[in-house]
Amino acid sequence: MQKYFKKIYIIPSDQLTDKKAAFLDIIKTENIKPAEFLSIGNRLSNEIRFAKEVGGQTCYLEYGEHAHEQPQNDFEKPDFKIYSLKELLAKCPL
């Protein structure tokens, strides 16, 4: 994955209650535009929503206990949807 990503951040849910703050910190620390930020997650109401709120791109991994969730608002509508990590590079332009 180093070929495609400069850095991968994993934010444990038990250490950070607001991932939006982490996403803003990543954008600032990495000195990137929000549109250059891609959040990959399996929760529409969490990783997808917070990334959209800061202007980032989103990829919904429809997998696990939150699979088949339905968006509750525009912030929860992902830019891309995948069903396995193998699909990531083909569906999410990096």
Side-chain angles (χ1 to χ4, degrees), residues 5-81:
F5 299 102
K6 176 181 168 186
K7 193 177 216 180
I8 296 174
Y9 291 83
I10 298 173
I11 305 163
S13 59
D14 64 336
Q15 292 182 12
L16 186 65
T17 57
D18 187 359
K19 289 184 182 176
K20 183 177 177 179
F23 295 160
L24 287 169
D25 186 61
I26 291 167
I27 290 167
K28 180 181 175 186
T29 301
E30 296 300 321
N31 194 29
I32 60 173
K33 297 175 185 166
E36 296 172 321
F37 175 75
L38 174 67
S39 174
I40 305 162
N42 71 334
R43 294 191 70 180
L44 296 174
S45 63
N46 200 315
E47 296 93 4
I48 303 305
R49 176 182 165 197
F50 294 140
K52 285 279 205 175
E53 287 180 356
V54 301
Q57 294 186 64
T58 58
C59 182
Y60 175 47
L61 174 59
E62 190 171 324
Y63 180 82
E65 69 274 17
H66 301 287
H68 309 296
E69 285 184 345
Q70 295 299 310
Q72 301 301 308
N73 56 52
D74 287 342
F75 287 116
E76 294 183 8
K77 293 180 182 174
D79 298 301
F80 310 99
K81 184 190 286 190

